[in-house]
Amino acid sequence: MIFPCHLQELAEKGKKSLCPSNPKISIGLATCGRSSGALDLEKKLAARQSWKSEVFVGGVGCLGACYAEPLVSLRTPDGRYYFYGFHGQADSNSLWQIIRAAEGVPSTRYLLARARERQPGTLRGIQDLELEKVGDPGFALFFKAQARRITGRCGLINPESLPEYVATGGYSALARALFQLQPEDVIAMVAASGLRGRGGAGFLTGKKWELASLSPDPERIVIANADEGDPGAYMDRALLESDPHSVLEGLILASYAVRASRAYVFVRHEYPLAVQNLRRAISAARAVGILGKQILGSGFSLEVHLVESPGAFVCGEETSMLRVMTGKRGEPYLRPPYPSSAGLWGHPTVVNNVETLANIPWIILHGPDAFREVGTEKSPGTKIFCLAGDVKRPGFIEVPLGTSTRAVIEEIGGAAPSSIKALQVGGPSGGIVPYSDFSLDYESVASLGAIMGSGGLVVLNTNRCLVDLARHLVDFMARESCGKCLFCRDGLAELEAMMTSLTNGEARSEVVLAELEELSKAVADMALCGLGKTAVNPVLTSLKFFREEYEAHARGKCPALTCRPLINFEIISSQCRDCRCCYLVCPTDAVKRRGGRELYAVAQEHCIKCRACYETCPFGCIKITSEGRL
């Protein structure tokens, strides 16, 4: 059995591997790094025989700057960090740059930044590093507006190392709660913090816990919802791959607060690395007495089990998830009763998102007032976003709620404001809103007709067709509908068909726009669960803010020149150099040779709109047009 004093022993062990006396090379081995060649890089560095035990080589999680992967950091014995980013080009040359740096000759090539520990030998998170030199200004800007409260360890610690997590302050919040606070005190602190659920709806976490704690049923359950299904969103995955113990500690604290004896993590089976790291974290915690009977020598006991989701998007909805966990088909049921009153097997059940739980240890250690120091009055704290789309620096970021979109898109993401037309906020059920300088908080986003969702943030430039994007998102939601209720099952399918008629040029009048709006509102009003109620948000928001694009499509014209049935390719004869590139590359022989001044022309009846000629022409002689109907 382990007692709180033994946490110090774990911390000392972790400190030795975090801040060793020899050079240490850390390679980002989260999914983003692996997809960029990090595993091969790590394998070659670890196999270098001449180093023997003089240089430590190991893996860490995702630092967040996914655009620069694979990412490698070198820590020198004096507490300096050299961050290298290879932007998908991890070749033999980059390998030698790392080797030379580890052998005492730090290279400036590929160098993103150099930092040092504020107190040499002490590292609790990225907040303990002070920037000394900037190799890539974009890397410094990427982190400048961030507040890495719960993601501070990500990319700096080995996610498989319990000692390293403890060395950075991990499980000290749990020890404090178990020996200094009553369950009611923990609930009061979370309630006072104003923490809202980070999974989408933004319900007050403390209120949900309080409802469960007041139940007369002594059997209570807590579930960490890691069934992340939004395309382009990977907040949960990044946390679980990079810092699984932070989520596990939050889950244990939530269970202690509501006096639960059982807890579960419901995670997508499409996240194999997250599942692997979670299993190892649970096993490691159980081995040292942080899970199981009489945790840390206290009177509190808890067992945590991992359940893999079958993968359907609707399973992320809490009532669908509860049905799946009891062996039934994943489909929602009517509320009330809410899970906090009667959930899994009829017992009061608290369901919290992964990011929500990762906030709990921070609140217990620093207090609710400190938590409210950033964010807004109604939306305190920080929020993780996955920044994607038309930006220079996509990645996994954490900023205070209320941060302006300008700071996120232009400063962190590096996008030129003149190039941005819209933002897709909150995943496929969020909304498509014009790009402007508004606050990223629950109230501001809701005022636009969208929802914050779990934190997906896709930047869309002026070349994007928002009608086609809305159609794509509706199609995704229609396919993911469980089919239980008529308006979601058939309404979304009909809505997608109407959207397709617009992008195919088959809508013959603007009457279809009124029908789109009417059907969208009906689906939102009549659908049973949150999937159907929010699935139409992309249509309603894009109709509200970009109606002129819909009107153009109703006339057979695509302003963005991307909907294939509505565009044509024309060869500008006056600029043609007779290089034959378009003629040779066309897969359907649609480019025809002509006589006289018009050397080449496109036979539209044979053109499949593959863009091969347009993208191949070295002289810009081919233009795309969308004339529409008169």
Side-chain angles (χ1 to χ4, degrees):
M1 182 181 294
I2 185 171
F3 292 93
C5 60
H6 292 144
L7 286 177
Q8 185 61 38
E9 296 177 12
L10 283 171
E12 289 299 323
K13 181 180 178 181
K15 186 175 179 180
K16 290 179 181 178
S17 60
L18 271 177
C19 305
S21 57
N22 291 346
K24 176 186 176 183
I25 297 174
S26 299
I27 302 101
L29 295 182
T31 296
C32 47
R34 291 173 183 233
S35 66
S36 300
L39 277 175
D40 185 56
L41 199 61
E42 189 263 348
K43 181 180 179 181
K44 290 177 179 177
L45 288 169
R48 188 168 176 78
Q49 295 296 321
S50 62
W51 281 346
K52 296 182 180 179
S53 61
E54 296 176 2
V55 178
F56 294 95
V57 178
V60 291
C62 175
L63 188 65
C66 305
Y67 71 95
E69 295 282 4
L71 284 166
V72 177
S73 65
L74 166 69
R75 182 191 183 275
T76 57
D78 60 354
R80 279 186 166 79
Y81 287 74
Y82 295 82
F83 292 96
Y84 293 95
F86 302 103
H87 301 273
Q89 304 297 320
D91 52 18
S92 58
N93 184 43
S94 56
L95 187 70
W96 277 107
Q97 300 298 324
I98 302 169
I99 292 171
R100 292 191 185 99
E103 292 176 344
V105 189
S107 171
T108 56
R109 190 176 183 186
Y110 305 110
L111 180 68
L112 299 174
R114 186 184 75 204
R116 67 176 179 85
E117 293 164 356
R118 297 179 191 276
Q119 297 180 6
T122 299
L123 180 68
R124 292 164 297 178
I126 200 168
Q127 68 276 8
D128 288 332
L129 297 182
E130 184 177 21
L131 195 63
E132 283 189 333
K133 179 180 179 180
V134 175
D136 177 4
F139 186 74
L141 286 172
F142 183 83
F143 288 98
K144 184 178 179 181
Q146 294 196 52
R148 305 288 287 245
R149 281 185 172 180
I150 63 172
T151 60
R153 299 182 185 91
C154 296
L156 295 178
I157 69 168
N158 179 354
E160 298 181 13
S161 172
L162 172 61
E164 288 192 10
Y165 177 73
V166 176
T168 57
Y171 290 115
S172 54
L174 177 62
R176 183 188 178 205
L178 292 178
F179 295 101
Q180 297 179 18
L181 302 172
Q182 294 298 313
E184 294 79 9
D185 299 328
V186 176
I187 294 176
M189 291 179 72
V190 173
S193 73
L195 174 65
R196 298 174 65 166
R198 300 304 197 237
F203 190 79
L204 288 170
T205 305
K207 183 66 175 177
K208 183 182 289 189
W209 290 11
E210 184 180 0
L211 291 172
S213 70
L214 294 175
S215 172
D217 187 345
E219 180 70 20
R220 296 158 190 176
I221 299 168
V222 178
I223 301 173
N225 187 352
D227 190 58
E228 182 177 56
D230 290 4
Y234 50 95
M235 292 74 59
D236 295 351
R237 174 176 63 75
L239 266 177
L240 294 173
E241 289 180 354
S242 306
D243 194 9
H245 282 284
S246 67
V247 178
L248 187 57
E249 184 176 9
L251 180 62
I252 301 171
L253 284 165
S255 302
Y256 174 71
V258 300
R259 293 184 168 89
S261 58
R262 281 185 294 167
Y264 299 85
V265 182
F266 189 79
V267 62
R268 294 186 74 80
H269 76 272
E270 294 95 337
Y271 286 175
L273 182 58
V275 171
Q276 171 187 295
N277 287 354
L278 263 174
R279 289 194 189 281
R280 289 176 176 173
I282 292 170
S283 177
R286 186 179 291 119
V288 297
I290 292 175
L291 280 177
K293 299 292 185 182
Q294 298 181 342
I295 292 175
L296 295 177
S298 70
F300 176 63
S301 302
L302 179 72
E303 285 297 334
V304 173
H305 306 278
L306 192 149
V307 179
E308 292 189 51
S309 163
F313 183 77
V314 73
C315 292
E317 195 277 334
E318 61 181 11
T319 61
S320 297
M321 179 183 64
L322 295 177
R323 284 180 58 85
V324 169
M325 292 179 69
T326 57
K328 298 177 182 177
R329 184 173 183 267
E331 58 183 21
Y333 58 79
L334 284 172
R335 298 174 296 179
Y338 290 92
S340 53
S341 300
L344 192 62
W345 296 298
H347 299 300
T349 304
V350 169
V351 181
N352 283 141
N353 164 265
V354 162
E355 183 185 345
T356 307
L357 291 170
N359 274 280
I360 305 303
W362 199 98
I363 294 171
I364 300 303
L365 285 178
H366 299 89
D369 292 339
F371 182 80
R372 286 183 170 275
E373 287 177 358
V374 301
T376 67
E377 182 180 353
K378 293 183 178 180
S379 298
T382 61
K383 179 76 186 77
I384 299 174
F385 291 95
C386 285
L387 185 59
D390 299 316
V391 289
K392 290 182 180 179
R393 298 185 287 271
F396 165 67
I397 67 173
E398 181 183 358
V399 295
L401 280 163
T403 298
S404 70
T405 51
R406 187 192 64 80
V408 172
I409 307 304
E410 298 174 35
E411 294 180 18
I412 296 176
S418 59
S419 69
I420 306 303
K421 176 165 62 174
L423 302 177
Q424 181 203 339
V425 184
S429 56
I432 302 171
V433 300
Y435 180 55
S436 61
D437 192 15
F438 63 88
S439 297
L440 285 169
D441 59 72
Y442 290 94
E443 288 70 35
S444 298
V445 173
S447 70
L448 296 170
I451 61 172
M452 183 78 76
S454 58
L457 189 60
V458 182
V459 181
L460 305 164
N461 68 22
T462 53
N463 296 322
R464 302 293 180 178
C465 177
L466 303 186
V467 178
D468 188 51
L469 174 62
R471 180 205 61 78
H472 174 76
L473 295 175
V474 170
D475 177 59
F476 172 81
M477 299 300 278
R479 292 172 184 270
E480 293 294 337
S481 171
C482 73
K484 183 175 183 178
C485 58
L486 172 68
F487 274 88
C488 184
R489 181 186 68 236
D490 296 343
L492 289 179
E494 177 62 22
L495 191 62
E496 193 276 333
M498 293 168 68
M499 296 289 290
T500 299
S501 72
L502 276 173
T503 56
N504 284 346
E506 298 166 354
R508 296 303 174 187
S509 73
E510 294 182 15
V511 174
V512 71
L513 304 190
E515 293 174 347
L516 273 175
E517 195 164 10
E518 182 181 3
L519 178 56
S520 296
K521 290 179 179 178
V523 171
D525 290 340
M526 302 298 292
L528 176 63
C529 79
L531 185 149
K533 290 182 180 298
T534 60
V536 297
N537 281 347
V539 177
L540 291 174
T541 51
S542 56
L543 263 173
K544 176 182 178 181
F545 295 112
F546 301 98
R547 195 175 188 90
E548 68 280 2
E549 289 200 23
Y550 281 84
E551 292 170 347
H553 279 75
R555 298 192 301 272
K557 182 176 182 179
C558 176
L561 303 177
T562 58
C563 294
R564 288 189 179 187
L566 305 183
I567 61 175
N568 292 316
F569 292 82
E570 296 180 7
I571 298 175
I572 307 171
S573 298
S574 61
Q575 298 179 15
C576 182
R577 306 286 185 87
D578 196 16
C579 70
R580 304 181 70 220
C581 286
C582 59
Y583 178 78
L584 295 172
V585 79
C586 181
T588 60
D589 296 324
V591 178
K592 306 293 185 181
R593 296 197 64 154
R594 305 293 190 193
R597 296 178 62 185
E598 187 180 6
L599 296 175
Y600 300 91
V602 179
Q604 302 298 336
E605 66 273 16
H606 299 303
C607 180
I608 60 173
K609 319 296 175 66
C610 67
R611 293 176 179 259
C613 60
Y614 177 80
E615 294 169 354
T616 303
C617 179
F619 304 109
C621 305
I622 300 176
K623 68 176 181 178
I624 307 175
T625 63
S626 182
E627 300 301 330
R629 296 184 295 269
L630 295 177

